[in-house]
Amino acid sequence: MQTVQHVIEFLGTFAFAISGIRHAAACRFDWFGGFVCGVCVAIGGGTLRDVMLGVVPFWMTSPFYIICTLLAQVFVILFARSLKRLDNAWFVFDTLGLALFTIAGLQKTLDCGHAMWVAILMGCITGSAGGVIRDIFLNRTPLIFRKEIYAMASIVGGILYWLLLLSNAGVALASAVTFVFICLVRALAMKYHISLPQLRLEEGEEP
């Protein structure tokens, strides 16, 4: 179980770091700025989760995660042209990171002995908080507040994970199915432009 969680956190860190660095590159950040943005996306959600759970933040237990972010930066620099030709490359890595970190958040919270509803919320925080920090750094309204099915994909994925565990599907199977489900929900939402309804004020009403 612990080994599976470490693998998921590593893959999620790499995927999210690439997503953050790609966004930084689009804003013409330098290499250091790109690395900072990549780190914030990669460890931001997990750090907030661990602080709320009262445990040592996962990236402080090993330099592996910082090294992983460095590798992601090297990957983006070396394959910048290839990634540029893939218009939705950032979307792919962002989706992979969301799915992987949602599962990591679910598993770690359950390992700490918390209820499943807490695990679902922590899974969402783990998967989406890093993106919020990234968008604040880039002076944007956070993606999860304005369009697309993002955090909701994480929450519904967490509910699916819970149902699978209740049916005795096993952690490995539950993780695999939840991963595919979250990625599928994100892909369908992007393809068909599905989003939650926007809040609107009455005409003439001041915010």
Side-chain angles (χ1 to χ4, degrees):
M1 179 70 178
Q2 195 171 32
T3 301
V4 171
Q5 178 147 352
H6 286 323
V7 171
I8 290 173
E9 285 185 341
F10 173 77
L11 293 175
T13 299
F14 189 75
F16 260 167
I18 290 177
S19 171
I21 294 165
R22 283 281 296 145
H23 278 278
C27 293
R28 304 292 183 182
F29 280 28
D30 63 16
W31 284 14
F32 178 74
F35 175 75
V36 171
C37 193
V39 167
C40 287
V41 179
I43 70 174
T47 300
L48 181 58
R49 172 204 66 207
D50 289 346
V51 169
M52 294 176 71
L53 292 177
V55 300
V56 177
F58 70 104
W59 60 270
M60 295 178 67
T61 61
S62 169
F64 207 52
Y65 301 100
I66 302 299
I67 294 172
C68 179
T69 305
L70 285 171
L71 292 176
Q73 175 129 334
V74 171
F75 178 84
V76 172
I77 292 171
L78 292 179
F79 298 100
R81 291 185 178 181
S82 298
L83 290 174
K84 189 175 182 179
R85 288 195 292 266
L86 299 173
D87 292 337
N88 291 323
W90 67 267
F91 170 80
V92 173
F93 290 112
D94 204 41
T95 298
L96 292 175
L98 174 66
L100 290 165
F101 267 12
T102 295
I103 296 167
L106 288 164
Q107 292 179 348
K108 190 162 189 176
T109 306
L110 292 175
D111 286 346
C112 290
H114 291 281
M116 193 65 212
W117 67 269
V118 178
I120 293 172
L121 292 177
M122 288 298 175
C124 180
I125 289 171
T126 308
S128 60
V132 173
I133 297 172
R134 172 202 66 207
D135 290 339
I136 292 173
F137 272 21
L138 298 179
N139 197 28
R140 299 173 178 171
T141 302
L143 177 68
I144 67 170
F145 297 148
R146 54 189 169 87
K147 64 177 183 178
E148 297 182 11
I149 302 296
Y150 193 88
M152 283 304 300
S154 175
I155 292 174
V156 177
I159 295 173
L160 175 62
Y161 185 89
W162 179 26
L163 294 175
L164 288 169
L165 290 184
L166 287 176
S167 64
N168 296 318
V171 173
L173 180 59
S175 298
V177 173
T178 301
F179 173 82
V180 173
F181 176 80
I182 293 175
C183 290
L184 185 61
V185 169
R186 286 280 290 142
L188 291 175
M190 173 63 75
K191 182 178 181 179
Y192 295 106
H193 306 287
I194 301 171
S195 61
L196 296 175
Q198 292 184 341
L199 290 172
R200 298 182 183 276
L201 294 173
E202 295 294 331
E203 187 175 352
E205 184 179 350
E206 292 294 331

